[in-house]
Amino acid sequence: MDRRRFCQLVGSGIATGTLGLWPLRVLASSGGTYTVRKGDTLSGIAKMYGTSVQALRFDNGIQGDLIRVGQVLRLPTVAGDNMLSEVRRVSEPKRGGLRTWRYIVVHHSGVATGNAEIYGNYHLNKVGMKNGLAYHFVIGNGTKSGDGEIEIGPRWDRQLNGGHVKSSKVNNQGVGICLVGNFQNTRPTARQLAALNSLGTYLRELIPNQTKFAVHREIDGKNHTVCPGKYFPTAQMHKQFPDQW
């Protein structure tokens, strides 16, 4: 796919309303903050809010266990299961009957705004992808969908191959997750990273075989794409989700 052309056409569609809409299952994220008090520990805070120490570290850039009084921590999953309730509802009936997934590939959209409906119509009507949206999931940034909102695409619902990279092998075996935004210019939001962490953790538990997390440029090469951009925390993602094969 020509990402520059994608950006031009999607931007035009957003401005003019010429890109149609089609229904997707959506899920509003949850989130919040917590101010550290005397005697607090990461494990205690994680237990209090139904998340994990690893998730707190990932979303707050913490290396180890040291926190300080007065520090404001982002809470990735306040009322934890709410963030993934719709994803679980759609996915649990497929447990034991999933397509063979070996990769989980993370992208940015390359444009500052949008949502799964807009991108899906571009892929269907402009690129000519018969299955529409190239990704399996899209995580919003608060522009055309909620900040941290997880949208479930038809390819996940129907367990279809992706269309998000050049490699046919990885498209056949790779779950595509797109975060809305151009991370060459800005950073993903805290809620987007929290949603990615929750979704990635759940997919690793759901998918029975071992998986490898990657970003787009690691699959197709940096000469082909910079996706998901220099401001996406790739090294942190790999630390959170180390290779299983």
Side-chain angles (χ1 to χ4, degrees), residues 72-120:
V72 178
L73 299 178
R74 301 185 187 99
L75 299 172
T77 53
V78 177
D81 283 347
N82 288 342
M83 179 171 280
L84 286 171
S85 60
E86 179 67 5
V87 176
R88 290 180 185 276
R89 189 185 72 78
V90 171
S91 303
E92 285 300 325
K94 308 180 194 305
R95 189 181 287 273
L98 293 171
R99 189 185 185 94
T100 300
W101 301 113
R102 301 277 286 157
Y103 299 87
I104 297 172
V105 185
V106 178
H107 304 254
H108 70 170
S109 63
V111 291
T113 188
N115 59 24
E117 296 175 63
I118 292 169
Y119 302 157

Side-chain angles (χ1 to χ4, degrees), residues 5-187:
R5 182 65 176 150
F6 168 73
C7 295
Q8 291 171 345
L9 288 173
V10 169
S12 174
I14 292 168
T16 65
T18 56
L19 292 177
L21 302 180
W22 46 279
L24 286 170
R25 294 186 171 95
V26 297
L27 168 67
S29 73
S30 55
T33 61
Y34 176 81
T35 302
V36 176
R37 302 173 182 176
K38 185 177 180 180
D40 279 341
T41 62
L42 278 180
S43 59
I45 296 168
K47 184 176 181 180
M48 188 186 310
Y49 285 96
T51 184
S52 68
V53 170
Q54 291 78 9
L56 284 172
R57 286 178 181 147
F58 182 79
D59 289 293
N60 291 279
I62 297 172
Q63 304 288 321
D65 296 314
L66 183 62
I67 52 177
R68 65 182 186 280
V69 174
Q71 182 177 356
V72 178
L73 299 178
R74 301 185 187 99
L75 299 172
T77 53
V78 177
D81 283 347
N82 288 342
M83 179 171 280
L84 286 171
S85 60
E86 179 67 5
V87 176
R88 290 180 185 276
R89 189 185 72 78
V90 171
S91 303
E92 285 300 325
K94 308 180 194 305
R95 189 181 287 273
L98 293 171
R99 189 185 185 94
T100 300
W101 301 113
R102 301 277 286 157
Y103 299 87
I104 297 172
V105 185
V106 178
H107 304 254
H108 70 170
S109 63
V111 291
T113 188
N115 59 24
E117 296 175 63
I118 292 169
Y119 302 157
N121 276 277
Y122 169 78
H123 293 157
L124 179 66
N125 299 319
K126 300 294 185 180
V127 180
M129 293 183 173
K130 66 178 183 179
N131 293 315
L133 182 67
Y135 313 107
H136 297 87
F137 300 94
V138 175
I139 299 177
N141 67 351
T143 55
K144 297 294 182 177
S145 59
D147 185 6
E149 181 176 335
I150 302 171
E151 296 182 277
I152 306 168
R155 291 180 191 258
W156 179 254
D157 203 5
R158 295 160 57 193
Q159 290 294 287
L160 301 176
N161 64 302
H164 47 95
V165 296
K166 285 179 64 178
S167 167
S168 59
K169 175 185 176 181
V170 177
N171 275 330
N172 284 329
Q173 299 181 353
V175 177
I177 302 173
C178 177
L179 280 67
V180 176
N182 184 343
F183 305 145
Q184 280 292 95
N185 300 329
T186 61
R187 299 183 187 279

